[in-house]
Amino acid sequence: MTGTRRRDSGATRASATEGSWRAVATVAGWQTAASLCYYTIFAATGFVREAFSLSESLVGVFLTAGLLGYTLFLFPSGAAVDGYGEKPVMVVGLLALAVALVGVSFAPSYALLLGTAGLLGAAYSTAMPASNRGIVDAAPAGSKNLAMGLKQVGVTVGSGASSLIITGIAVVAAWQVGFWLIAVVAFGYALLFAARYRGSPGTGRLERPRLAGLGDNRAYVALVAAALFIGASIFSMLGYTVLYVQDVVGTGPALAGGVLAATQVTGSIGRIGAGSLADRLGGARGAATVALVQLAGAVVLFGLLAWSGGSLVLTTLVFVALGLTIHGSTGVFYSCLSGVVDDDDIGAATAGGQTALNTGGLLAPPLFGIVVESIGYAAGWAFVAVSTVAAASLLFVVTRRLR
């Protein structure tokens, strides 16, 4: 099964939304606000390490706590989206993110820090199932890949902005102040989103995801497997960019945060460009092909990063290029995933793909930290390169399945 679309229900939902670029922009704005909240934990790794006297591997456990909460609640969030529509899930999710963000900033011990990070991740679990369904319904005809790429820009913009806010404010005030500012922004956008976005209806019933049918879809299964390795690579890179630039290149936290932010900027460019190209190639196969090329480029770049040895200029250029490649691939990845399943299964299908991606993120950052402590960063980046090779191989299988 390669996804015979249920056009009747899809058309009903499309009529309930604005069905325009305005609706796409509204959903992309929500994704930006949500990512601004969640990715603060990646931007604050240096401050958390100092505040709680942590090793590199324990920093990885902190990031894993956020991903664990994110992963455990993905299927409940996907079921809620399919049952009640994306709008209520998105409003509640963004409000919960703001509350959890404040909780992280006030955590008095490492144990409570892990708990609040888990709650932050649980709130963020609403993001992909809800926003992906909103984009599928709202995208103008023939522009779904571009619209998905624009929505995914919200992830990189939110992540990059959180890096600048957290590290920038820490220069003049406590790093927790940046968390509070972002929480206020999220709360305000939740109210604006509730007023402006119409949303699409669900089935009206909260049901268990129909995973049996998805498991029979071989293209979807290969995409889920690829997501496991994509997540391992992306979250390892996100979790250790700031620490690598500080420890190996020898810069301060503000400049290290700037490198991470630059990576997110080029990630945004990569997602837009990849989406536009995939629309020209057409269909899910076009999206898979573009993602495959991006991952192949990332393999080379991770190998170069392992070899670079601490040059600020070269390191910055490599991270910027990684933004265009592996960070820029997620928009077309989700377009491909939504293109191989039925419209009514998008919430559950996205939850499955995101669960696999997060599982890679759960396992890889602590392993990366252990490798760095025992061998060094060069071996860590080589580990990430191997993971990216596995992801690219599985995407090649997908392109063959979709012929």
Side-chain angles (χ1 to χ4, degrees), residues 230-251:
I230 293 173
S233 299
I234 287 180
F235 283 108
S236 293
M237 178 183 165
L238 278 175
Y240 287 91
T241 295
V242 171
L243 296 183
Y244 176 77
V245 176
Q246 287 185 239
D247 295 347
V248 178
V249 180
T251 70

Side-chain angles (χ1 to χ4, degrees), residues 280-360:
R280 294 179 183 180
L281 294 177
R285 187 170 189 269
T289 301
V290 173
L292 173 60
V293 172
Q294 289 177 294
L295 291 180
V299 171
V300 176
L301 292 166
F302 280 126
L304 186 59
L305 193 60
W307 170 82
S308 65
S311 164
L312 176 60
V313 174
L314 180 58
T315 297
T316 302
L317 289 175
V318 170
F319 276 118
V320 164
L322 282 167
L324 292 170
T325 53
I326 193 163
H327 275 300
S329 69
T330 57
V332 286
F333 173 82
Y334 283 115
S335 291
C336 182
L337 187 147
S338 66
V340 301
V341 301
D342 294 336
D343 284 345
D344 287 346
D345 291 331
I346 287 175
T350 298
Q354 191 66 46
T355 296
L357 194 145
N358 284 8
T359 299

Side-chain angles (χ1 to χ4, degrees), residues 200-299:
S200 57
T203 62
R205 303 180 305 275
L206 192 62
E207 300 176 325
R208 295 182 64 180
R210 293 170 291 193
L211 300 179
L214 293 175
D216 294 334
N217 185 334
R218 294 187 178 183
Y220 174 76
V221 170
L223 282 169
V224 169
L228 178 71
F229 296 102
I230 293 173
S233 299
I234 287 180
F235 283 108
S236 293
M237 178 183 165
L238 278 175
Y240 287 91
T241 295
V242 171
L243 296 183
Y244 176 77
V245 176
Q246 287 185 239
D247 295 347
V248 178
V249 180
T251 70
L255 184 54
V259 173
L260 179 58
T263 302
Q264 304 310 303
V265 170
T266 55
S268 300
I269 296 170
R271 293 173 192 205
I272 295 172
S276 180
L277 179 58
D279 280 331
R280 294 179 183 180
L281 294 177
R285 187 170 189 269
T289 301
V290 173
L292 173 60
V293 172
Q294 289 177 294
L295 291 180
V299 171

Side-chain angles (χ1 to χ4, degrees), residues 27-348:
V27 174
W30 183 95
Q31 181 68 71
T32 302
S35 298
L36 184 65
C37 292
Y38 178 68
Y39 285 97
T40 51
I41 62 176
F42 295 91
T45 50
F47 304 114
V48 168
R49 180 176 65 172
E50 181 180 351
F52 294 92
S53 301
L54 304 179
S55 66
E56 282 77 7
S57 56
L58 286 180
V59 171
V61 173
F62 164 61
L63 300 177
T64 297
L67 277 171
L68 181 61
Y70 185 1
T71 305
L72 290 177
F73 281 83
L74 271 168
F75 277 108
S77 292
V81 169
D82 288 336
Y84 303 118
E86 72 275 12
K87 179 178 178 177
V89 176
M90 294 169 84
V91 172
V92 172
L94 193 52
L95 291 174
L97 278 164
V99 173
L101 194 60
V102 174
V104 171
S105 71
F106 280 110
S109 67
Y110 182 63
L112 288 175
L113 180 73
L114 296 181
T116 52
L119 292 175
L120 184 72
Y124 192 61
S125 69
T126 59
M128 290 304 169
S131 63
N132 282 3
R133 175 166 167 176
I135 288 298
V136 168
D137 286 342
S143 299
K144 189 185 76 171
N145 289 304
L146 177 57
M148 190 69 76
L150 288 170
K151 191 272 296 184
Q152 284 298 110
V153 164
V155 178
T156 51
V157 170
S159 177
S162 70
S163 299
L164 295 177
I165 292 170
I166 298 300
T167 57
I169 287 181
V171 175
V172 296
W175 58 271
Q176 292 92 337
V177 175
F179 278 59
W180 305 338
L181 176 61
I182 291 172
V184 171
V185 172
F187 184 82
Y189 194 83
L191 298 180
L192 179 64
F193 183 85
R196 293 189 59 185
Y197 186 70
R198 294 174 59 190
S200 57
T203 62
R205 303 180 305 275
L206 192 62
E207 300 176 325
R208 295 182 64 180
R210 293 170 291 193
L211 300 179
L214 293 175
D216 294 334
N217 185 334
R218 294 187 178 183
Y220 174 76
V221 170
L223 282 169
V224 169
L228 178 71
F229 296 102
I230 293 173
S233 299
I234 287 180
F235 283 108
S236 293
M237 178 183 165
L238 278 175
Y240 287 91
T241 295
V242 171
L243 296 183
Y244 176 77
V245 176
Q246 287 185 239
D247 295 347
V248 178
V249 180
T251 70
L255 184 54
V259 173
L260 179 58
T263 302
Q264 304 310 303
V265 170
T266 55
S268 300
I269 296 170
R271 293 173 192 205
I272 295 172
S276 180
L277 179 58
D279 280 331
R280 294 179 183 180
L281 294 177
R285 187 170 189 269
T289 301
V290 173
L292 173 60
V293 172
Q294 289 177 294
L295 291 180
V299 171
V300 176
L301 292 166
F302 280 126
L304 186 59
L305 193 60
W307 170 82
S308 65
S311 164
L312 176 60
V313 174
L314 180 58
T315 297
T316 302
L317 289 175
V318 170
F319 276 118
V320 164
L322 282 167
L324 292 170
T325 53
I326 193 163
H327 275 300
S329 69
T330 57
V332 286
F333 173 82
Y334 283 115
S335 291
C336 182
L337 187 147
S338 66
V340 301
V341 301
D342 294 336
D343 284 345
D344 287 346
D345 291 331
I346 287 175

